[in-house]
Amino acid sequence: MLTMDQKHRLSGWFTSLQDQIFKELEAIEKENGTPTFSIRKSWKRGENLAIDEGGGTMGLIKGEVFEKGGANVSMVYGAFSEAFKKEIPGAVANPHFWANGLSLVIHPKNPYVPIVHMNTRCIETTKFWFGGGADLTPIFPFEEDTAYFHECMKEACDPIDESYYDRFKKECDEYFYLPHRKEPRGVGGIFYDYLNTDDFEKDFAFTQAVGRAFIKAYPEIVRRRFKMPYGEEEISKQLVKRARYVEFNLIYDRGTRFGFMTGGNTEAILMSMPPYASWAT
């Protein structure tokens, strides 16, 4: 099981990653020459209870480049409900858990800048494992952007295990798919869950590499696109694509369900929702 030192290291990394991400996002807003609104807001799990069950820090950004973005860090613990523990490995034997991670979703203002998601986490029950990944959802895909994003994800995978990229790319394509629409959410990336190689250092190194790969990939893609001109036609397509994002996150997303089923902060969980969306046809 995880030691206290390992948990402290995990917590320190996720907080550091949040800081690094906001530094990058704010730098891009400054390059655009427009005001940026960003805040950090702390919350506590079970704050109406007489016990401490952890909490987190929401990081929110709003500007002319990033219409709505969030990178939230949480560290929560307690016990799963009788119903939910059956869905979590190792929780039937003992419902107590510990979970720490970072979750990010960004909805840019310019339709030519892709929506992006990144999440990395570690969860402990009577077992423990890592999970997460990053995926890109463009409204108007550019082949060079897709290739670069995947190249960065592969660079994160290969030094750890050369089988990871193909394996986790496939898992991403299968997971981020809307069966009721018969379409993928975006152009993919990598996704992994229940990762435990019995080598904490290896798995933690991979988790860190995914975070660094995101910081390398996404700001570069944003800088390529955020000043491209657009009009009402592009906005209409963007709103429909955002609606697909809402559908996936509310129907299929494991993180959304985990957050609600463990008494997470509603505002932080729904950070992934876009500011505007449309189901118009």
Side-chain angles (χ1 to χ4, degrees), residues 10-276:
L10 286 163
S11 179
W13 163 250
F14 291 127
T15 299
S16 171
L17 181 59
Q18 184 187 48
D19 291 340
Q20 293 174 58
I21 288 168
F22 267 83
K23 182 179 179 181
E24 291 292 332
L25 300 182
E26 289 166 353
I28 292 173
E29 287 284 0
K30 287 180 181 178
E31 291 170 22
N32 192 50
T34 51
T36 304
F37 172 68
S38 63
I39 63 168
R40 307 290 178 92
K41 183 178 179 181
S42 298
W43 61 273
K44 291 185 177 181
R45 180 175 183 264
E47 57 187 342
N48 296 323
L49 304 176
I51 54 175
D52 178 10
E53 293 189 329
T57 302
M58 289 186 291
L60 305 172
I61 188 167
K62 182 178 181 180
E64 287 300 310
V65 179
F66 306 111
E67 189 170 15
K68 181 185 178 185
N72 300 334
V73 172
S74 64
M75 183 179 69
V76 296
Y77 42 89
F80 293 122
S81 68
E82 285 295 314
F84 193 51
K85 72 179 184 180
K86 299 173 184 177
E87 301 180 29
I88 307 296
V92 172
N94 186 330
H96 286 86
F97 73 93
W98 179 92
N100 191 192
L102 178 142
S103 182
L104 171 148
V105 174
I106 296 172
H107 293 284
K109 188 169 186 178
N110 190 316
Y112 287 106
V113 181
I115 303 164
V116 72
H117 160 258
M118 191 272 289
N119 169 268
T120 50
R121 58 189 177 273
C122 183
I123 299 174
E124 180 184 56
T125 58
T126 57
K127 304 178 180 180
F128 78 88
W129 63 91
F130 289 84
D135 66 287
L136 202 63
T137 304
I139 292 85
F140 300 97
F142 291 88
E143 185 175 340
E144 63 183 301
D145 294 349
T146 300
Y148 180 67
F149 190 81
H150 279 270
E151 176 187 315
C152 291
M153 294 303 119
K154 190 173 189 301
E155 287 177 357
C157 293
D158 283 355
I160 308 297
D161 188 318
E162 291 187 355
S163 72
Y164 275 9
Y165 174 71
D166 288 340
R167 173 182 161 190
F168 296 149
K169 178 184 182 299
K170 182 175 183 292
E171 289 191 29
C172 184
D173 291 340
E174 292 173 351
Y175 179 61
F176 292 108
Y177 183 81
L178 288 83
H180 63 287
R181 297 286 187 182
K182 294 182 173 57
E183 65 185 41
R185 187 169 82 172
V187 295
I190 60 171
F191 175 76
Y192 60 102
D193 211 353
Y194 310 119
L195 177 67
N196 183 341
T197 65
D198 292 323
D199 185 338
F200 174 85
E201 296 301 334
K202 175 182 176 180
D203 297 341
F204 185 29
F206 178 56
T207 294
Q208 292 172 294
V210 172
R212 294 188 185 104
F214 169 80
I215 291 173
K216 178 181 178 181
Y218 190 63
E220 167 64 24
I221 292 170
V222 174
R223 287 185 169 97
R224 294 174 182 176
R225 308 298 170 198
F226 78 93
K227 292 187 177 181
M228 291 180 66
Y230 62 91
E232 291 301 318
E233 182 178 351
E234 289 86 353
I235 292 173
S236 294
K237 291 183 178 180
Q238 179 190 52
L239 293 177
V240 170
K241 193 66 171 179
R242 285 177 171 181
R244 298 289 200 271
Y245 215 87
V246 172
E247 291 174 16
F248 181 89
N249 279 26
L250 292 183
I251 300 171
Y252 305 112
D253 190 79
R254 295 178 191 172
T256 301
R257 179 165 171 75
F258 185 91
F260 282 130
M261 293 301 288
T262 55
N265 180 276
T266 300
E267 185 179 354
I269 296 167
L270 295 181
M271 166 273 296
S272 64
M273 296 297 103
Y276 307 100

